[in-house]
Amino acid sequence: MNEFELIARYFARQPVSRPDVALGIGDDAAVLDVPAGQQLVVSTDMLVAGVHFPENTDAVSIGHKSLAVNLSDLAAMGATPAWYTLNMSLPQADPAWLEGFCKGMFGLARQHNAALVGGDTTRGPLTIGIQIMGLVPRGQALMRAGARPGDRIYVTGLLGEAALGLQVAQGRLDLPEEYRSNVLQQLHRPTPRVQIGIALRALASACIDVSDGLAADLGHILAASGAGARIHLKRLPLSPAYDAAFLQVGWGAALSGGDDYELCFTIPPDSEAAFRNASTRFGVSCCYIGDIEAETGLRIVDEQGTLYRPEQAGFDHFRAD
Ligand code: ADP
Ligand code: MG
């Protein structure tokens, strides 16, 4: 199978067709209609085998996760997904692998009505780069800046699950069988919080997706907003699996583990009632973990109010070892 057959067989036919794709895959570039009154929101994320997922990860999961991490960035901006492009470098054209990859990627694309409109395919070590494009009504994108003292800090879902999953996948964590599949699912098939992001547009003062660990990502909100925060260890949303792993992982997985793809956002006091009301329809719980304060810096406190110092910082590819 040559490059053109590969593109025609796996990527040119895809499940989502949108009327705003004036020209899709097959020409030198795609032509897309951006509706009047909307802004284009663009993000890209790259996944490298052995860095972003274990080498032996199944193809369906790789396809799912490649798109999920990009959708999560749109969710954090409150944008509605529309289109994406796919750059991939593959060691070989293995039909079973490509079918699995497409199943994972297109399955999630269908859920979010996102159309694949182009890409580039080369031979090389397994690397997937997706660029995603979404739409937001002019001026309504959610940003990291905007949190103010007195705003409440929330996170969706559970923290640290993917970090537990990674340790299980690497054989570094001993977890009862009943919990293993859950944390592996969170690692390999994260759920981007797209609908919640859209709902938060009118409610949140700042938002980020938790990809590098809560402490680091909340830190980005604080830096962009010129504010500080106090969060409470006992309020962090942790699963029964986490409780079972606690003696082995401590607070580290919840505070500094990567790959959660939950949203962390801040709600001003005058939006609190509307947020509570809206959140009953989110389908996932939002947990109040602390408050924005005027004093800069992140203060993590235990039940006695004593400051807790995290032992690890968030994930950083270029951190000096
Ligand atoms: P060019 O040489 O002009 O860059 P290519 O031969 O690389 O064109 O690609 C042909 C068409 O196939 C283009 O429309 C391109 O966007 C699309 N394409 C290539 N690789 C992929 C891919 N992995 N996924 C989706 N579309 C792709
Ligand atoms: Mg090309």
Short mmCIF file of all heavy atoms in Angstrom, two decimals, residues 108-162:
data_model
loop_
_atom_site.label_atom_id
_atom_site.label_comp_id
_atom_site.label_asym_id
_atom_site.label_seq_id
_atom_site.Cartn_x
_atom_site.Cartn_y
_atom_site.Cartn_z
N LEU A 108 -14.61 8.91 18.40
CA LEU A 108 -14.70 10.13 19.22
C LEU A 108 -15.09 11.33 18.35
O LEU A 108 -15.87 12.19 18.77
CB LEU A 108 -13.35 10.37 19.91
CG LEU A 108 -13.31 11.44 20.99
CD1 LEU A 108 -14.29 11.11 22.12
CD2 LEU A 108 -11.89 11.57 21.54
N ALA A 109 -14.57 11.37 17.12
CA ALA A 109 -14.90 12.48 16.20
C ALA A 109 -16.41 12.52 15.94
O ALA A 109 -17.01 13.60 15.90
CB ALA A 109 -14.16 12.30 14.88
N ARG A 110 -17.00 11.35 15.77
CA ARG A 110 -18.44 11.27 15.51
C ARG A 110 -19.21 11.85 16.69
O ARG A 110 -20.15 12.62 16.52
CB ARG A 110 -18.83 9.81 15.29
CG ARG A 110 -20.08 9.63 14.46
CD ARG A 110 -20.47 8.16 14.29
NE ARG A 110 -19.60 7.41 13.43
CZ ARG A 110 -18.86 6.35 13.81
NH1 ARG A 110 -18.90 5.93 15.06
NH2 ARG A 110 -18.12 5.72 12.95
N GLN A 111 -18.80 11.50 17.91
CA GLN A 111 -19.49 12.01 19.10
C GLN A 111 -19.50 13.53 19.13
O GLN A 111 -20.40 14.14 19.69
CB GLN A 111 -18.79 11.53 20.37
CG GLN A 111 -19.05 10.10 20.74
CD GLN A 111 -18.20 9.72 21.95
OE1 GLN A 111 -18.03 10.49 22.89
NE2 GLN A 111 -17.66 8.51 21.93
N HIS A 112 -18.44 14.15 18.59
CA HIS A 112 -18.32 15.61 18.69
C HIS A 112 -18.54 16.31 17.36
O HIS A 112 -18.28 17.51 17.25
CB HIS A 112 -16.96 15.97 19.29
CG HIS A 112 -16.82 15.50 20.71
ND1 HIS A 112 -17.39 16.17 21.77
CD2 HIS A 112 -16.25 14.39 21.23
CE1 HIS A 112 -17.14 15.51 22.89
NE2 HIS A 112 -16.45 14.42 22.60
N ASN A 113 -18.98 15.56 16.35
CA ASN A 113 -19.25 16.12 15.03
C ASN A 113 -18.04 16.91 14.49
O ASN A 113 -18.19 17.99 13.93
CB ASN A 113 -20.50 17.01 15.07
CG ASN A 113 -21.04 17.29 13.68
OD1 ASN A 113 -20.94 16.44 12.79
ND2 ASN A 113 -21.57 18.48 13.48
N ALA A 114 -16.85 16.34 14.67
CA ALA A 114 -15.63 16.98 14.18
C ALA A 114 -15.19 16.27 12.90
O ALA A 114 -15.08 15.05 12.87
CB ALA A 114 -14.53 16.90 15.24
N ALA A 115 -14.94 17.06 11.85
CA ALA A 115 -14.59 16.49 10.54
C ALA A 115 -13.09 16.57 10.29
O ALA A 115 -12.48 17.63 10.50
CB ALA A 115 -15.35 17.23 9.44
N LEU A 116 -12.52 15.45 9.83
CA LEU A 116 -11.11 15.44 9.42
C LEU A 116 -11.01 16.09 8.05
O LEU A 116 -11.66 15.64 7.10
CB LEU A 116 -10.60 14.00 9.36
CG LEU A 116 -9.15 13.78 8.93
CD1 LEU A 116 -8.19 14.43 9.92
CD2 LEU A 116 -8.85 12.29 8.81
N VAL A 117 -10.21 17.15 7.93
CA VAL A 117 -10.19 17.91 6.67
C VAL A 117 -8.83 17.91 5.98
O VAL A 117 -8.67 18.55 4.94
CB VAL A 117 -10.66 19.37 6.89
CG1 VAL A 117 -12.11 19.41 7.34
CG2 VAL A 117 -9.76 20.09 7.89
N GLY A 118 -7.86 17.21 6.53
CA GLY A 118 -6.56 17.17 5.87
C GLY A 118 -5.50 16.60 6.78
O GLY A 118 -5.79 16.16 7.90
N GLY A 119 -4.27 16.59 6.29
CA GLY A 119 -3.19 16.07 7.10
C GLY A 119 -1.96 15.82 6.28
O GLY A 119 -1.84 16.28 5.14
N ASP A 120 -1.04 15.07 6.85
CA ASP A 120 0.18 14.71 6.15
C ASP A 120 0.62 13.36 6.71
O ASP A 120 0.47 13.10 7.91
CB ASP A 120 1.25 15.79 6.38
CG ASP A 120 2.32 15.76 5.31
OD1 ASP A 120 2.07 15.18 4.22
OD2 ASP A 120 3.41 16.29 5.57
N THR A 121 1.15 12.51 5.82
CA THR A 121 1.50 11.16 6.23
C THR A 121 2.92 10.86 5.78
O THR A 121 3.23 11.02 4.60
CB THR A 121 0.52 10.16 5.57
OG1 THR A 121 -0.82 10.60 5.80
CG2 THR A 121 0.69 8.77 6.15
N THR A 122 3.76 10.47 6.72
CA THR A 122 5.15 10.14 6.37
C THR A 122 5.57 8.88 7.11
O THR A 122 4.89 8.45 8.05
CB THR A 122 6.14 11.26 6.79
OG1 THR A 122 6.14 11.34 8.21
CG2 THR A 122 5.76 12.60 6.22
N ARG A 123 6.68 8.29 6.66
CA ARG A 123 7.22 7.13 7.37
C ARG A 123 8.23 7.60 8.42
O ARG A 123 9.03 8.49 8.15
CB ARG A 123 7.90 6.17 6.40
CG ARG A 123 8.35 4.87 7.06
CD ARG A 123 9.18 4.03 6.11
NE ARG A 123 8.40 3.49 5.01
CZ ARG A 123 7.77 2.31 5.06
NH1 ARG A 123 7.81 1.58 6.15
NH2 ARG A 123 7.10 1.88 4.02
N GLY A 124 8.16 6.99 9.60
CA GLY A 124 9.10 7.36 10.66
C GLY A 124 8.60 6.79 11.98
O GLY A 124 7.61 6.05 12.00
N PRO A 125 9.25 7.12 13.08
CA PRO A 125 8.80 6.64 14.39
C PRO A 125 7.37 7.10 14.65
O PRO A 125 7.00 8.19 14.23
CB PRO A 125 9.77 7.29 15.37
CG PRO A 125 10.90 7.81 14.57
CD PRO A 125 10.40 8.02 13.17
N LEU A 126 6.56 6.27 15.32
CA LEU A 126 5.14 6.57 15.51
C LEU A 126 4.93 7.88 16.27
O LEU A 126 5.28 8.00 17.45
CB LEU A 126 4.47 5.42 16.27
CG LEU A 126 2.97 5.59 16.53
CD1 LEU A 126 2.19 5.76 15.23
CD2 LEU A 126 2.43 4.41 17.33
N THR A 127 4.38 8.86 15.56
CA THR A 127 4.10 10.18 16.12
C THR A 127 2.80 10.67 15.50
O THR A 127 2.60 10.53 14.29
CB THR A 127 5.22 11.18 15.78
OG1 THR A 127 6.46 10.65 16.24
CG2 THR A 127 4.99 12.52 16.43
N ILE A 128 1.92 11.21 16.32
CA ILE A 128 0.64 11.72 15.81
C ILE A 128 0.47 13.16 16.27
O ILE A 128 0.53 13.44 17.46
CB ILE A 128 -0.53 10.86 16.33
CG1 ILE A 128 -0.41 9.43 15.80
CG2 ILE A 128 -1.88 11.44 15.88
CD1 ILE A 128 -0.34 8.44 16.89
N GLY A 129 0.27 14.04 15.30
CA GLY A 129 0.00 15.44 15.62
C GLY A 129 -1.34 15.82 15.05
O GLY A 129 -1.55 15.74 13.84
N ILE A 130 -2.25 16.20 15.92
CA ILE A 130 -3.56 16.67 15.44
C ILE A 130 -3.64 18.16 15.69
O ILE A 130 -3.20 18.65 16.73
CB ILE A 130 -4.70 15.90 16.13
CG1 ILE A 130 -4.78 14.48 15.56
CG2 ILE A 130 -6.04 16.63 15.96
CD1 ILE A 130 -5.89 13.62 16.12
N GLN A 131 -4.18 18.87 14.70
CA GLN A 131 -4.52 20.27 14.92
C GLN A 131 -6.04 20.34 14.89
O GLN A 131 -6.67 19.88 13.93
CB GLN A 131 -3.94 21.17 13.86
CG GLN A 131 -4.32 22.63 14.11
CD GLN A 131 -3.75 23.56 13.07
OE1 GLN A 131 -4.01 23.42 11.89
NE2 GLN A 131 -2.94 24.50 13.51
N ILE A 132 -6.60 20.92 15.93
CA ILE A 132 -8.05 20.98 16.01
C ILE A 132 -8.53 22.42 15.88
O ILE A 132 -7.83 23.34 16.29
CB ILE A 132 -8.55 20.32 17.31
CG1 ILE A 132 -10.05 20.03 17.21
CG2 ILE A 132 -8.25 21.18 18.53
CD1 ILE A 132 -10.48 18.84 18.01
N MET A 133 -9.69 22.57 15.27
CA MET A 133 -10.27 23.91 15.10
C MET A 133 -11.71 23.87 15.61
O MET A 133 -12.46 22.93 15.31
CB MET A 133 -10.24 24.29 13.62
CG MET A 133 -8.83 24.58 13.12
SD MET A 133 -8.69 24.43 11.33
CE MET A 133 -8.43 22.67 11.16
N GLY A 134 -12.05 24.89 16.37
CA GLY A 134 -13.41 24.97 16.91
C GLY A 134 -13.93 26.39 16.76
O GLY A 134 -13.23 27.28 16.27
N LEU A 135 -15.16 26.57 17.18
CA LEU A 135 -15.83 27.86 17.02
C LEU A 135 -16.37 28.34 18.35
O LEU A 135 -16.83 27.54 19.18
CB LEU A 135 -16.98 27.71 16.01
CG LEU A 135 -16.56 27.31 14.59
CD1 LEU A 135 -17.77 26.86 13.77
CD2 LEU A 135 -15.81 28.45 13.91
N VAL A 136 -16.30 29.65 18.52
CA VAL A 136 -16.85 30.24 19.73
C VAL A 136 -17.48 31.58 19.34
O VAL A 136 -16.94 32.28 18.47
CB VAL A 136 -15.73 30.38 20.80
CG1 VAL A 136 -14.76 31.48 20.46
CG2 VAL A 136 -16.27 30.56 22.19
N PRO A 137 -18.64 31.94 19.91
CA PRO A 137 -19.20 33.25 19.61
C PRO A 137 -18.18 34.33 19.98
O PRO A 137 -17.50 34.22 21.00
CB PRO A 137 -20.43 33.34 20.52
CG PRO A 137 -20.78 31.91 20.82
CD PRO A 137 -19.49 31.16 20.83
N ARG A 138 -18.08 35.34 19.12
CA ARG A 138 -17.05 36.37 19.28
C ARG A 138 -16.98 36.89 20.72
O ARG A 138 -18.00 37.24 21.31
CB ARG A 138 -17.34 37.53 18.32
CG ARG A 138 -16.35 38.70 18.41
CD ARG A 138 -16.56 39.67 17.26
NE ARG A 138 -16.34 39.01 15.98
CZ ARG A 138 -15.13 38.76 15.46
NH1 ARG A 138 -14.04 39.12 16.11
NH2 ARG A 138 -15.01 38.15 14.31
N GLY A 139 -15.76 36.87 21.26
CA GLY A 139 -15.52 37.45 22.59
C GLY A 139 -15.87 36.54 23.75
O GLY A 139 -15.72 36.92 24.91
N GLN A 140 -16.34 35.31 23.47
CA GLN A 140 -16.80 34.46 24.57
C GLN A 140 -15.87 33.32 24.96
O GLN A 140 -16.21 32.50 25.81
CB GLN A 140 -18.18 33.89 24.24
CG GLN A 140 -19.28 34.95 24.30
CD GLN A 140 -20.65 34.34 24.10
OE1 GLN A 140 -20.89 33.19 24.46
NE2 GLN A 140 -21.55 35.10 23.52
N ALA A 141 -14.69 33.25 24.33
CA ALA A 141 -13.78 32.15 24.67
C ALA A 141 -13.37 32.23 26.15
O ALA A 141 -13.17 33.31 26.69
CB ALA A 141 -12.54 32.21 23.79
N LEU A 142 -13.28 31.06 26.78
CA LEU A 142 -12.80 30.98 28.16
C LEU A 142 -11.28 31.05 28.15
O LEU A 142 -10.64 30.41 27.31
CB LEU A 142 -13.20 29.64 28.77
CG LEU A 142 -14.64 29.47 29.20
CD1 LEU A 142 -14.87 28.00 29.55
CD2 LEU A 142 -14.92 30.36 30.41
N MET A 143 -10.72 31.76 29.10
CA MET A 143 -9.26 31.87 29.12
C MET A 143 -8.70 31.55 30.50
O MET A 143 -9.45 31.39 31.46
CB MET A 143 -8.86 33.26 28.66
CG MET A 143 -9.01 33.41 27.15
SD MET A 143 -8.76 35.06 26.55
CE MET A 143 -10.39 35.73 26.73
N ARG A 144 -7.37 31.46 30.56
CA ARG A 144 -6.73 31.21 31.85
C ARG A 144 -6.78 32.47 32.71
O ARG A 144 -6.85 32.36 33.93
CB ARG A 144 -5.27 30.80 31.62
CG ARG A 144 -5.16 29.50 30.86
CD ARG A 144 -3.72 29.16 30.55
NE ARG A 144 -3.64 27.87 29.87
CZ ARG A 144 -2.52 27.23 29.58
NH1 ARG A 144 -1.35 27.77 29.92
NH2 ARG A 144 -2.53 26.06 28.99
N ALA A 145 -6.71 33.61 32.07
CA ALA A 145 -6.78 34.87 32.81
C ALA A 145 -8.23 35.18 33.13
O ALA A 145 -9.12 34.85 32.35
CB ALA A 145 -6.18 36.00 31.96
N GLY A 146 -8.47 35.78 34.27
CA GLY A 146 -9.83 36.20 34.59
C GLY A 146 -10.29 35.79 35.98
O GLY A 146 -11.31 36.27 36.46
N ALA A 147 -9.53 34.92 36.64
CA ALA A 147 -9.90 34.53 38.01
C ALA A 147 -9.66 35.71 38.96
O ALA A 147 -8.65 36.40 38.83
CB ALA A 147 -9.08 33.32 38.45
N ARG A 148 -10.60 35.92 39.89
CA ARG A 148 -10.50 37.04 40.84
C ARG A 148 -10.62 36.53 42.26
O ARG A 148 -11.31 35.53 42.49
CB ARG A 148 -11.65 38.04 40.60
CG ARG A 148 -11.62 38.75 39.26
CD ARG A 148 -10.59 39.87 39.23
NE ARG A 148 -10.41 40.38 37.89
CZ ARG A 148 -9.52 39.91 36.99
NH1 ARG A 148 -8.73 38.89 37.32
NH2 ARG A 148 -9.42 40.44 35.81
N PRO A 149 -9.97 37.22 43.22
CA PRO A 149 -10.11 36.81 44.63
C PRO A 149 -11.58 36.66 45.00
O PRO A 149 -12.40 37.51 44.63
CB PRO A 149 -9.45 37.97 45.39
CG PRO A 149 -8.46 38.53 44.42
CD PRO A 149 -9.09 38.39 43.06
N GLY A 150 -11.89 35.56 45.68
CA GLY A 150 -13.28 35.30 46.06
C GLY A 150 -13.96 34.30 45.14
O GLY A 150 -14.99 33.72 45.50
N ASP A 151 -13.39 34.07 43.94
CA ASP A 151 -13.96 33.06 43.05
C ASP A 151 -13.70 31.66 43.64
O ASP A 151 -12.65 31.42 44.24
CB ASP A 151 -13.31 33.11 41.66
CG ASP A 151 -13.65 34.39 40.89
OD1 ASP A 151 -14.43 35.21 41.41
OD2 ASP A 151 -13.13 34.54 39.76
N ARG A 152 -14.63 30.76 43.43
CA ARG A 152 -14.43 29.37 43.85
C ARG A 152 -13.74 28.58 42.75
O ARG A 152 -14.01 28.79 41.56
CB ARG A 152 -15.77 28.72 44.17
CG ARG A 152 -16.37 29.20 45.47
CD ARG A 152 -17.61 28.40 45.80
NE ARG A 152 -17.94 28.54 47.21
CZ ARG A 152 -18.70 27.68 47.89
NH1 ARG A 152 -19.21 26.62 47.29
NH2 ARG A 152 -18.94 27.88 49.17
N ILE A 153 -12.91 27.63 43.16
CA ILE A 153 -12.18 26.78 42.20
C ILE A 153 -12.84 25.41 42.19
O ILE A 153 -13.07 24.80 43.24
CB ILE A 153 -10.70 26.63 42.62
CG1 ILE A 153 -10.05 28.01 42.77
CG2 ILE A 153 -9.94 25.78 41.60
CD1 ILE A 153 -8.72 27.96 43.51
N TYR A 154 -13.13 24.94 40.97
CA TYR A 154 -13.76 23.63 40.79
C TYR A 154 -12.93 22.76 39.86
O TYR A 154 -12.22 23.28 38.99
CB TYR A 154 -15.14 23.78 40.16
CG TYR A 154 -16.21 24.34 41.07
CD1 TYR A 154 -16.36 25.72 41.20
CD2 TYR A 154 -17.05 23.50 41.79
CE1 TYR A 154 -17.35 26.24 42.04
CE2 TYR A 154 -18.03 24.02 42.61
CZ TYR A 154 -18.17 25.38 42.74
OH TYR A 154 -19.14 25.89 43.56
N VAL A 155 -13.07 21.43 40.00
CA VAL A 155 -12.57 20.51 38.96
C VAL A 155 -13.67 19.52 38.63
O VAL A 155 -14.47 19.13 39.49
CB VAL A 155 -11.31 19.71 39.37
CG1 VAL A 155 -10.07 20.59 39.37
CG2 VAL A 155 -11.48 19.02 40.69
N THR A 156 -13.71 19.12 37.36
CA THR A 156 -14.65 18.07 36.93
C THR A 156 -14.07 16.70 37.27
O THR A 156 -12.85 16.53 37.36
CB THR A 156 -14.89 18.12 35.41
OG1 THR A 156 -13.64 17.95 34.73
CG2 THR A 156 -15.52 19.44 34.98
N GLY A 157 -14.94 15.72 37.43
CA GLY A 157 -14.52 14.32 37.52
C GLY A 157 -13.59 14.01 38.66
O GLY A 157 -13.72 14.55 39.76
N LEU A 158 -12.61 13.15 38.39
CA LEU A 158 -11.68 12.65 39.40
C LEU A 158 -10.25 13.04 39.04
O LEU A 158 -9.91 13.15 37.86
CB LEU A 158 -11.76 11.12 39.48
CG LEU A 158 -13.11 10.55 39.92
CD1 LEU A 158 -13.19 9.07 39.56
CD2 LEU A 158 -13.31 10.76 41.42
N LEU A 159 -9.42 13.22 40.04
CA LEU A 159 -8.02 13.55 39.80
C LEU A 159 -7.13 12.33 40.02
O LEU A 159 -7.41 11.48 40.87
CB LEU A 159 -7.57 14.66 40.76
CG LEU A 159 -8.20 16.04 40.52
CD1 LEU A 159 -7.83 16.98 41.66
CD2 LEU A 159 -7.76 16.60 39.17
N GLY A 160 -6.06 12.26 39.25
CA GLY A 160 -5.01 11.26 39.49
C GLY A 160 -5.27 9.89 38.90
O GLY A 160 -4.40 9.01 38.98
N GLU A 161 -6.44 9.70 38.27
CA GLU A 161 -6.77 8.36 37.77
C GLU A 161 -5.80 7.92 36.67
O GLU A 161 -5.33 6.78 36.67
CB GLU A 161 -8.20 8.34 37.20
CG GLU A 161 -9.27 8.58 38.24
CD GLU A 161 -9.39 7.40 39.20
OE1 GLU A 161 -10.00 6.39 38.85
OE2 GLU A 161 -8.86 7.53 40.33
N ALA A 162 -5.49 8.82 35.72
CA ALA A 162 -4.59 8.44 34.63
C ALA A 162 -3.18 8.18 35.15
O ALA A 162 -2.48 7.30 34.65
CB ALA A 162 -4.57 9.54 33.56
#
